[in-house]
Amino acid sequence: MRNFPSVTRRGLLAGSAATVAAATLPAIGPAPQARAAASPAQPAAAAAAQPADGFASVPALGLSGTTGGAGGPVVTVTDAETFLDYCDRDEPYVIQVSGTLRITSKQGVRSNKTILGLGTDAEITGGGLDMYRRQNVIIRNLRFTDAEDDSISIQQSSHHIWIDHCTFSTGADGLIDIVRGADYVTVSWNHFRDHSKTMLIGHSDANGSQDRGRLRVSFHHNFFDGTAQRHPRVRFGEPVHVYNNYYRNNTLYGVASTEDAGVLVEGNYFEKVAHPIYSGYDESGPGRVIERDNVYVNCGKPETLGTVIEPRVFYAYTLDAPASLPVTVPAGAGAGRI
């Protein structure tokens, strides 16, 4: 249930805190290869113009990739009311967030939006963002704290979503949920900390009819920093591509493939993770999972099973050397790093 305040466009134009830039951004095309972390000093416009990669870059379902609000007006918001009004508009927008915005519950974001934090301290706290039957959304360079539910929810056949260079902590439920037929999603260069149930793909064991053939997600260059579980936990999705992430001190497990999901775990660095990879978990049946070229330091034995569709069928990518990830990922992941 989305809960938007009553805000009129006339009121915004007459006296809101939003500033509309006199320029628009160029269109963004898909980019198949993984990128290095961007410079912290990079201007916001240049950051907004960077292309998505992984599954978010794949031409499908009527889109050429994920471009967000490119081509629409650029606005800067400093209060929650104005921010939520722009999120609820039908037109494309690049919404730049300045400072801390306090929201409640899960608030909807319509299609064709780029939400970009400015500087190093842009934050959404108290609530989360919900993509419900939406497409073509980019969320970058934001801190998400203390959400009452999920920090980000991608659901009900939403597709082409890119979540990049954000920091997530201390939510009440999942930090990111990708469920109910969502598809073509990339989660990259994020920092997850101070939380248990980190990321879920596929919300229940009973939802196979909606989820099979969908839930295609790429996870790369994320820092799972002492979080307990679900990095991610997957039901039904295939392929789910988990590559070049850094796992450190994850108390329950790293990756869990369940309910016949197909997960490729490659080129990651696991450090002090008792159960780096599971096939099946809790009451969920086993999933297929392949591991290759990972580094395990003070870890248990990974579980593998079956075969998985290769992500290269969908997009090209280049792996970083796994041994480099304990340096490069903490240095580049999270908000304030683009």
Side-chain angles (χ1 to χ4, degrees):
M1 179 70 67
R2 297 179 296 281
N3 178 28
F4 293 105
S6 176
V7 182
T8 66
R9 297 189 190 189
R10 181 177 299 175
L12 285 170
L13 293 173
S16 85
T19 300
V20 181
T24 58
L25 297 179
I28 305 171
Q33 294 189 348
R35 307 173 321 283
S39 166
Q42 192 170 60
Q50 287 181 339
D53 56 13
F55 272 113
S57 73
V58 173
L61 302 177
L63 296 181
S64 61
T66 302
T67 61
V74 180
V75 298
T76 298
V77 299
T78 58
D79 66 276
E81 192 172 56
T82 306
F83 170 70
L84 295 176
D85 175 77
Y86 278 111
C87 288
D88 196 36
R89 297 188 183 192
D90 290 328
E91 303 86 357
Y93 278 96
V94 176
I95 305 168
Q96 299 183 146
V97 176
S98 178
T100 298
L101 307 183
R102 180 170 293 278
I103 64 175
T104 60
S105 188
K106 288 194 295 187
Q107 303 287 348
V109 177
R110 292 188 183 269
S111 300
N112 306 314
K113 301 292 185 293
T114 295
I115 301 174
L116 176 67
L118 295 180
T120 61
D121 61 352
E123 180 176 352
I124 293 176
T125 189
L129 302 180
D130 183 26
M131 274 65 71
Y132 186 100
R133 296 179 181 168
R134 304 305 182 196
Q135 61 188 31
N136 193 29
V137 176
I138 296 172
I139 301 172
R140 305 187 73 201
N141 200 45
L142 284 164
R143 300 181 188 277
F144 289 85
T145 60
D146 300 329
E148 296 174 345
D149 197 329
D150 301 325
S151 296
I152 293 181
S153 177
I154 304 168
Q155 59 170 317
Q156 295 294 0
S157 301
S158 293
H159 61 91
H160 288 90
I161 313 293
W162 181 29
I163 303 169
D164 178 74
H165 279 94
C166 293
T167 298
F168 296 87
S169 63
T170 58
D173 194 5
L175 296 178
I176 299 176
D177 277 11
I178 303 168
V179 298
R180 300 181 187 272
D183 215 352
Y184 296 103
V185 178
T186 296
V187 180
S188 57
W189 290 102
N190 300 289
H191 185 187
F192 300 91
R193 58 182 178 81
D194 299 323
H195 195 75
S196 176
K197 297 177 179 179
T198 307
M199 287 190 293
L200 181 66
I201 302 178
H203 78 104
S204 76
D205 294 352
N207 205 49
S209 61
Q210 184 180 23
D211 288 341
R212 286 191 180 92
R214 299 177 178 85
L215 300 179
R216 286 166 281 213
V217 187
S218 303
F219 296 95
H220 72 82
H221 294 90
N222 298 292
F223 183 18
F224 300 111
D225 182 11
T227 45
Q229 60 182 310
R230 299 186 180 181
H231 311 100
R233 175 175 175 169
V234 186
R235 297 177 174 98
F236 302 114
E238 183 180 15
V240 172
H241 191 196
V242 181
Y243 69 99
N244 274 169
N245 301 285
Y246 178 35
Y247 295 80
R248 185 176 71 185
N249 295 325
N250 309 118
T251 53
L252 292 181
Y253 65 87
V255 180
S257 177
T258 72
E259 297 299 323
D260 198 38
V263 182
L264 173 61
V265 183
E266 69 169 336
N268 302 282
Y269 194 105
F270 294 87
E271 182 179 350
K272 296 181 181 179
V273 184
H275 302 283
I277 302 173
Y278 272 135
S279 172
Y281 185 74
D282 196 16
E283 297 181 359
S284 299
R288 291 168 288 115
V289 58
I290 299 297
E291 74 86 29
R292 65 187 182 213
D293 301 325
N294 299 293
V295 173
Y296 302 97
V297 177
N298 296 323
C299 293
K301 183 178 180 180
E303 297 180 359
T304 59
L305 179 69
T307 61
V308 177
I309 296 172
E310 283 285 344
R312 291 188 194 278
V313 173
F314 296 89
Y315 58 87
Y317 62 96
T318 301
L319 289 175
D320 292 340
S324 70
L325 299 177
V327 174
T328 59
V329 170
R337 304 300 176 89
I338 62 173

